[in-house]
Amino acid sequence: MEKIVVRHMTIKDFAFAVKVRDTMNWDYTEEDFKFMTDLEPKGCFIASKNGERVGITTTIRFDSLGWIGNVIVNQNYRLMGIGSKLVKHAMDYLRSQSVRTIGLYSYMDTIPFYEKIGFKSNTRFIRLVGIGVAGDLGVNAIRKMEEKDLRYVIEFDRLCTGVSRQKLLRRIFMESRDLCYTIFERKRLVGFIMARSAQIGPLVCRPGFEEESINLLRVVLNKLVGLKVYIGVPEKRQHILDFLRNLSFREYFQVARMYYGDYLKDKNCTVAMESLERG
């Protein structure tokens, strides 16, 4: 009888994880998987069938919220229940960490798969790809994020998302501080943006500060001139979508944000997701 086994991902699995993810045409490196396993050492998994590695998934926990990413099965082994086993294993792990809500991003065609497990759609995001371009900045209130700003950024993000993403935000800042910016108004934090290499996000702003969110995005695009970059934007953020399309960004694909468990109320602060893998 063929047996499917799910175990923890190790450094020896990174090359396989990159290879299986490449089948989805996603730019991902071994360093990205190291980033994930550093953040959640016991929450990244490999599925094997009769000893052969056939699939991967990753998770991360923020207080009561758990997130599932990278549910990918080798094309030769799909429709065999491996994806379901990976998702359920990830959910079991997150519930063992006392999370009350589990989130993920689903492609449009896999929504029914997750609905059967009990996930419900929340909103849609549009993933765009384009080239970083130079543009007019002219906003003195925007400044490069400093270490002293982190506590304000982390608390502001917690108020917006309902959970503390401290371990993620701090790690992004330490690795990519040249791509992290804030904007204050009368000493009050209005919004912030972060990026890791080709991935822009999170971009979080107070409701009603649409122009400020565009200005934050302009700053980072100026730092990435000539490079291919990716960003995931809620479909309701029309001002950001229009701005990016005017810069020749094109839609790459759409995803639905889905939740299992307690519903997290949207505070209308998210302008761009951090990533597909971590919410």
Side-chain angles (χ1 to χ4, degrees), residues 56-121:
I56 63 171
T57 193
T58 61
T59 70
I60 190 168
R61 179 176 64 91
F62 306 113
D63 298 336
S64 61
L65 172 67
W67 202 268
I68 298 175
N70 290 309
V71 182
I72 310 173
V73 177
N74 185 300
Q75 290 178 335
N76 297 326
Y77 291 91
R78 292 177 184 171
L79 302 178
M80 297 182 182
I82 297 170
S84 296
K85 192 171 183 70
L86 277 167
V87 172
K88 290 175 182 176
H89 191 92
M91 292 175 70
D92 287 344
Y93 165 74
L94 291 170
R95 285 184 290 217
S96 76
Q97 303 301 302
S98 302
V99 306
R100 296 194 302 271
T101 305
I102 300 174
L104 55 81
Y105 289 111
S106 168
Y107 289 107
M108 297 298 105
D109 61 347
T110 56
I111 290 175
F113 166 79
Y114 289 110
E115 287 178 336
K116 288 180 181 178
I117 298 173
F119 284 85
K120 296 180 179 179
S121 295

Side-chain angles (χ1 to χ4, degrees), residues 23 58 64 66 70 83 102 106 109 121 127 149 154 171 181 184 186 193 206 209 220 228 231 238 247 250:
T23 63
T58 61
S64 61
N70 290 309
I102 300 174
S106 168
D109 61 347
S121 295
R127 182 80 159 167
D149 298 322
I154 290 167
R171 180 65 180 268
Y181 290 84
F184 285 82
R186 299 186 183 92
I193 189 170
R206 296 181 186 273
F209 287 82
V220 172
K228 181 186 286 188
I231 185 170
Q238 195 60 51
L247 296 179
R250 61 177 176 83

Side-chain angles (χ1 to χ4, degrees), residues 116-134:
K116 288 180 181 178
I117 298 173
F119 284 85
K120 296 180 179 179
S121 295
N122 171 268
T123 189
R124 291 190 180 186
F125 281 69
I126 299 174
R127 182 80 159 167
L128 301 106
V129 59
I131 303 297
V133 294

Side-chain angles (χ1 to χ4, degrees), residues 18 24 45 48 62 78 133 147 161 164 167-169 181 194-195 199 202 244 256:
V18 170
M24 307 295 290
F45 305 102
S48 299
F62 306 113
R78 292 177 184 171
V133 294
E147 194 155 359
T161 64
S164 175
K167 64 181 179 182
L168 173 61
L169 301 181
Y181 290 84
M194 294 177 142
Q199 168 66 44
L244 290 169

Side-chain angles (χ1 to χ4, degrees), residues 138-186:
V139 181
N140 295 328
I142 293 180
R143 70 184 194 212
K144 186 178 289 187
M145 191 182 297
E146 300 179 11
E147 194 155 359
K148 65 181 181 180
D149 298 322
L150 267 180
R151 64 188 182 100
Y152 300 106
V153 168
I154 290 167
E155 177 60 15
F156 174 60
D157 185 75
R158 185 190 68 78
L159 292 173
C160 290
T161 64
V163 295
S164 175
R165 297 193 292 179
Q166 176 174 337
K167 64 181 179 182
L168 173 61
L169 301 181
R170 189 174 293 277
R171 180 65 180 268
I172 294 174
F173 173 76
M174 296 305 294
E175 289 190 5
S176 307
R177 60 179 70 199
D178 284 342
L179 296 175
C180 300
Y181 290 84
T182 60
I183 184 167
F184 285 82
E185 183 182 82
R186 299 186 183 92

